Amino acid sequence: MKRRVVVTGLGCVTPVGVGWKDYWDALLSGKNGIGLITHFDTTEFPVKIAGEVDDSTFSDLIEKKDSRRMSRFTQFAIISSKMAVEDSGLDLEKIDPERFGVIMGSGIGGMDTLEEQHRVMLERGPKRVSPNFIPMMISNIAAGQISMMLNAKGPNFTTVTACASSTNAIGEAFRTVARGDADIVISGGAEAAITPLSIAGFSSMKALSTRNDDPERASRPFDKDRDGFVMGEGGAMLIMEELEHALARGAKIYAEMVGFGAASDAYHITAPHPEGKGAQKAMELAIKDAGITPDDVDYINAHGTSTYYNDMLETLAINNTFKDHAKKLCVSSTKSMTGHLLGAAGAAEAIAAILAIYDDKVPPTMNCFDPDEKCDLDYVPLKFKEKKVKYALSNSLGFGGHNATIAFGKYHK
Amino acid sequence: MYFEKIVEIIRDQLGLEEDVKIEKETSLMKDLEVDSLDAVEVIMKIEDEFDIEIPDEDINTFKNLGDIADYVGNKKG
């Protein structure tokens, strides 16, 4: 029999708030995390805006001796993990380390370290490249570092599916606990790709908004004047726990994870399928996995990147999946506030979906002043909504045609 | 003076607080629990600081930080 999996702890570092309470307050109040890039000089860059995490909001949460061998994305992962464990009330001395796993997503990994060390090699030669370069840069190292910090000796791996990375990670964590390979998996994602090379690359793809003169209104999912996504950064981690294990220790339960669906477009390296078929399939599979019907879903935290194609085709996929019910459910994109956290986006947005269930409030899509005519759903524009949320989905759609949907429900005995 | 500079490099590189005692008898790997990656990085920083090259076979002769300081002193002559 499939074991039930509940979410018992949350932690995050985002451009709008650090720790789930600050993050959730920020989302409900429509706080904006986008501004001019300070991480590097953008003089030559067509894109000058991003959702940066202010160093002062997290630097005292990690010791220098720990952080010095960690790329920025790993620092986000470590801090988010510490917060999630603390929030869960888990006593690490009392749990079986071999039944405690780590499943992380990161789209890019230590891009900052890669660029820095590449510069060292070009300027000073191959012998000056740091011996710590590789273990700081590889995408899976955050999961490795978390296992060392928490003594987690169960299954440990990293999913790399671009912008869907941490949604795939949470999906796999759900499966791992449900089938009995672990009792607890700490799962989520981290990304720190506001670097010169990364911004240059995404910019050349014409994927990024160039609304440099109005950063706070640049990320405007589903709005007719949207012109691309805004890069964000951060980390988010969830404690996924087998229900009986959680009940036995009297854990607080935010929500139950009920389903996961993943499907591929098999169509193009970056463009979504023209009818949104992969996204539709991922949602259908997650709903089926949850043992519910489309009509049971109250809220979708959309991928909603603020690019022309994503928002139009994700809307089409939702319409095709939910039929008449599509107009009755709430769909919002919290990327309108945080920017796009790439490989960490799915985990940060999973937290938003979980808290929508926990708090019976739906976060808004900010900057959605005038929806595109092909975007015809209730995007909860500009202001959060009080709504009973029994079931919520979170969608993530990644370059490469990776589509993943995770489903959460209100916990009941 | 080489020793003091080496201690400074090590403190900075490893993020060690002032209360961690570092003396001439201190061994990087045994006392400061430095792994091989950090050991290589520390040697690289020392090479950069003093503008010298330390071949691998010489690194293996260092038992403690005093040995490294003496070695640098000899090289700088």
Side-chain angles (χ1 to χ4, degrees):
Chain A
M1 202 190 97
K2 199 162 102 172
R3 308 190 319 157
R4 292 173 73 184
V5 183
V6 290
V7 179
T8 57
L10 305 171
C12 60
V13 179
T14 79
V16 295
V18 173
W20 75 259
K21 289 188 179 107
D22 280 359
Y23 171 62
W24 186 236
D25 285 348
L27 294 185
L28 293 180
S29 65
K31 183 177 170 184
N32 193 280
I34 314 301
L36 290 172
I37 291 173
T38 64
H39 290 352
F40 62 92
D41 177 4
T42 58
T43 306
E44 301 284 321
F45 289 69
V47 171
K48 302 178 192 305
I49 52 173
E52 293 182 341
V53 174
D54 181 350
D55 286 12
S56 69
T57 61
F58 73 91
S59 53
D60 59 340
L61 301 174
I62 190 162
E63 288 186 42
K64 184 169 181 261
K65 71 173 172 52
D66 295 328
S67 66
R68 68 186 180 83
R69 282 210 282 187
M70 293 177 187
S71 285
R72 191 172 173 86
F73 88 106
T74 302
Q75 296 182 31
F76 291 150
I78 285 285
I79 295 166
S80 302
S81 297
K82 274 187 195 170
M83 289 190 293
V85 168
E86 196 182 306
D87 184 47
S88 74
L90 270 178
D91 182 345
L92 297 179
E93 301 291 314
K94 287 193 181 146
I95 61 174
D96 179 354
E98 290 176 2
R99 305 281 301 160
F100 181 18
V102 185
I103 303 178
M104 277 276 305
S106 183
I108 297 184
M111 191 80 151
D112 48 347
T113 306
L114 177 76
E115 288 179 41
E116 180 193 304
Q117 292 299 315
H118 185 243
R119 193 159 48 238
V120 168
M121 188 185 75
L122 294 181
E123 288 172 1
R124 303 177 53 214
K127 285 182 171 173
R128 309 272 37 109
V129 171
S130 169
N132 286 312
F133 159 51
I134 298 292
M136 284 174 72
M137 180 264 315
I138 49 181
S139 295
N140 58 298
I141 201 65
Q145 290 277 17
I146 293 167
S147 76
M148 288 169 244
M149 175 176 73
L150 302 178
N151 191 35
K153 295 179 173 169
N156 184 308
F157 61 89
T158 297
T159 52
V160 181
T161 51
C163 309
S165 297
S166 54
T167 301
N168 277 116
I170 292 167
E172 293 305 325
F174 169 61
R175 293 269 188 265
T176 299
V177 175
R179 71 173 172 255
D181 289 352
D183 294 326
I184 308 168
V185 174
I186 182 164
S187 180
E191 202 79 78
I194 305 175
T195 67
L197 189 59
S198 154
I199 294 291
F202 280 103
S203 179
S204 292
M205 294 173 73
K206 307 291 176 201
L208 297 176
S209 167
T210 54
R211 201 179 293 272
N212 297 318
D213 57 348
D214 194 5
E216 298 208 343
R217 290 186 178 76
S219 184
R220 45 201 305 152
F222 309 108
D223 187 85
K224 68 175 176 44
D225 292 328
R226 67 191 183 279
D227 73 329
F229 80 82
V230 177
M231 185 75 79
E233 63 174 352
M237 298 298 292
L238 287 62
I239 304 291
M240 315 274 298
E241 192 169 354
E242 191 272 325
L243 175 62
E244 295 305 323
H245 193 279
L247 291 176
R249 67 181 186 87
K252 172 174 63 178
I253 295 174
Y254 289 98
E256 179 171 359
M257 180 154 177
V258 292
F260 171 46
S264 187
D265 280 353
Y267 172 71
H268 185 264
I269 50 173
T270 56
H273 186 279
E275 291 153 56
K277 287 292 180 202
Q280 180 181 342
K281 191 73 195 171
M283 285 187 275
E284 287 171 353
L285 288 170
I287 290 165
K288 187 175 172 220
D289 191 36
I292 58 176
T293 68
D295 291 357
D296 293 322
V297 176
D298 303 297
Y299 170 55
I300 300 174
N301 187 299
H303 191 53
T305 56
S306 180
T307 63
Y308 175 75
Y309 283 109
N310 177 87
D311 297 359
M312 179 176 76
L313 295 172
E314 188 179 7
T315 297
L316 180 63
I318 291 169
N319 272 313
N320 288 338
T321 304
F322 291 90
K323 312 281 187 320
D324 292 345
H325 185 64
K327 301 287 187 290
K328 293 178 199 146
L329 53 78
C330 289
V331 177
S332 70
S333 170
T334 42
K335 287 186 181 77
S336 57
M337 295 169 270
T338 61
H340 190 347
L341 274 56
L342 304 184
E349 291 157 19
I351 290 180
I354 289 163
L355 291 172
I357 290 169
Y358 188 64
D359 214 11
D360 284 320
K361 289 188 180 77
V362 175
T365 303
M366 298 307 289
N367 301 326
C368 186
F369 301 109
D370 193 2
D372 184 331
E373 61 178 23
K374 288 187 177 126
C375 298
D376 56 357
L377 303 171
D378 174 5
Y379 300 112
V380 197
L382 312 181
K383 196 175 181 313
F384 83 90
K385 200 178 261 185
E386 302 268 0
K387 181 187 167 97
K388 194 102 186 143
V389 182
K390 200 169 166 212
Y391 289 101
L393 306 184
S394 178
N395 286 341
S396 294
L397 319 172
F399 286 164
H402 310 285
N403 305 282
T405 298
I406 46 184
F408 298 93
K410 226 180 246 309
Y411 168 67
H412 60 84
K413 287 209 175 86
Chain B
M1 72 182 205
Y2 294 121
F3 177 71
E4 283 72 30
K5 191 68 207 173
I6 289 168
V7 170
E8 198 182 302
I9 289 170
I10 290 169
R11 281 198 192 281
D12 180 59
Q13 193 60 33
L14 305 178
L16 298 177
E17 302 291 338
E18 285 301 317
D19 58 354
V20 178
K21 261 173 90 177
I22 303 180
E23 294 165 325
K24 290 199 169 162
E25 292 70 35
T26 303
S27 156
L28 264 185
M29 297 180 103
K30 285 190 195 126
D31 300 318
L32 299 177
E33 294 179 348
V34 165
D35 62 24
S36 63
L37 300 175
D38 271 339
V40 172
E41 188 133 49
V42 165
I43 294 293
M44 282 169 63
K45 297 284 172 190
I46 292 171
E47 289 179 322
D48 286 349
E49 176 66 32
F50 300 110
D51 195 25
I52 56 174
E53 208 170 312
I54 310 178
D56 288 354
E57 53 269 28
D58 291 352
I59 294 170
N60 296 331
T61 67
F62 302 149
K63 283 192 287 294
N64 55 42
L65 299 183
D67 289 351
I68 301 178
D70 291 345
Y71 179 91
V72 172
N74 286 334
K75 277 252 175 179
K76 298 301 282 183

